[in-house]
Amino acid sequence: MLQQTYRTLVINPGSTSTKIGVFNNNQCIFEETIRHKSEETSKFPRIIEQFDFRKKTILDALDHEGINISKLDAVCGRGGLLRPIEGGTYKVNEAMLHDLQIGYNGEHASNLGGIIANEIAKGLNIPAFIVDPVVVDELASVSRFSGVPEIPRKSIFHALNQKAVARRVANDLEKPYRELNIIVVHMGGGITVGAHVNGKVVDVNNGLHGDGPFSPERAGTVPAGDLVSMCFSGEYYREEIMKKLVGQGGIMAYLETNDAVEVEKRIEAGDEVAREVYDAMAYQIAKEIGSMSAVMLGKVDAIALTGGLAYGKEFVSMITERINWIADCLVYPGENELQALNEGTLRVLRNEEQPKTYPNPVG
């Protein structure tokens, strides 16, 4: 019996670009990264005001390629900074649109994903979805404690890629995702290590500006008392401190670059400082993996390394030599967010999953 073909448009807005893809089932038939010049986006005081501009660039790109949007079965946008919700595929509704428009959890280009998807889908009388936004929150109650009641631990991580990779692991192991214990490590500009237990991410470090390993541009966990002293030293504005934590922290702070390829070239050329810093980042990632194995009581089915840093064979080796005693380590370099958005949409279109309704509050 032939499988029904579904055609989807997926939209992933970033700060300086919008990535789009058109899929027939799992096959990508068109993909483009639309670059936005600063003089174009700077006209808009708020990111949300770029809606019409970005929508037009998407439709123009599709028209230029000869893609007939009337043949689409669904549109899926990158989920934005919404309320904390469980993982899954959500149908865009009025409550979601409201929270995206007001920037409920902050302003970010990804907030445009669901709004643009909805606007295009509405004109075609087809559904619009989002899949696994960064605010996915499935934390176990015990993992929310930080030691300071006023500052509970938060779930902000690379949910889209982590969930997609966890499902790839399950497929490779030929077992259902909901029956496995998998540690997924996303290693990019930010690094998040998630404990996937029976289909839920029950613990994960806050990869935005919370805790965990330092990364190419983020500080991760820092000594709290010393950070407080720095904040009240009178030498820094709030924005300067935040930049030390996000953007100018981690590898950037030590080596004045966030480019892993450049760091590896320095190491090959004999730069011992670069080697020491790179090894320290791998060391911290391995420690975080170890802590997540404790969350699982040592019952780990697999460890998956993904993201841009997973292309570096030597870097991967630095990590695996410390943690391969825990479980088999599988490597899935890079990230394909368009594919992940499409896969989430397909699961709903094929009735493999039911779409979730926003808000589906946590706790």
Side-chain angles (χ1 to χ4, degrees), residues 246-259:
V246 182
Q248 295 178 4
I251 295 288
M252 188 71 185
Y254 289 111
L255 302 177
E256 297 183 344
T257 181
N258 61 3
D259 186 341

Side-chain angles (χ1 to χ4, degrees), residues 129-182:
F129 302 101
I130 67 164
V131 179
D132 291 328
V134 295
V135 292
V136 165
D137 186 342
E138 299 167 340
L139 296 184
S141 297
V142 69
S143 69
R144 299 184 187 277
F145 287 81
S146 70
V148 180
E150 297 88 348
I151 311 177
R153 293 184 67 239
K154 295 180 180 178
S155 177
I156 301 178
F157 70 112
H158 304 90
L160 182 62
N161 190 44
Q162 282 223 18
K163 288 277 190 176
V165 167
R167 289 189 175 93
R168 286 183 64 184
V169 172
N171 184 66
D172 289 345
L173 296 181
E174 298 181 341
K175 292 182 179 180
Y177 171 43
R178 64 181 179 277
E179 294 179 9
L180 292 170
N181 287 350
I182 307 168

Side-chain angles (χ1 to χ4, degrees), residues 9-23 31-36 54 57-58 75-80 108-114 116-117 120 129-134 160-161 335-342:
L9 166 65
V10 295
I11 302 167
N12 184 6
S15 57
T16 60
S17 66
T18 303
K19 295 179 181 178
I20 60 172
V22 178
F23 291 80
E31 181 177 342
E32 183 172 334
T33 299
I34 305 169
R35 307 288 179 186
H36 305 304
R54 295 222 193 192
T57 64
I58 292 169
V75 186
C76 182
R78 179 71 186 270
H108 190 272
S110 60
N111 290 0
L112 292 164
I116 296 173
I120 293 174
F129 302 101
I130 67 164
V131 179
D132 291 328
V134 295
L160 182 62
N161 190 44
E335 57 182 300
N336 192 334
E337 293 175 333
L338 296 182
Q339 182 72 45
L341 292 170
N342 176 64

Side-chain angles (χ1 to χ4, degrees), residues 203-217:
D203 202 342
V204 65
N205 63 295
N206 179 340
L208 182 58
H209 48 61
D211 51 9
F214 72 78
S215 77
E217 57 186 38

Side-chain angles (χ1 to χ4, degrees), residues 9 20 63-64 93 115 124 151 179 185 213-214 258 312 344 346:
L9 166 65
I20 60 172
D63 184 60
H64 183 266
N93 59 18
I115 298 173
L124 300 170
I151 311 177
E179 294 179 9
V185 187
F214 72 78
N258 61 3
L346 278 180

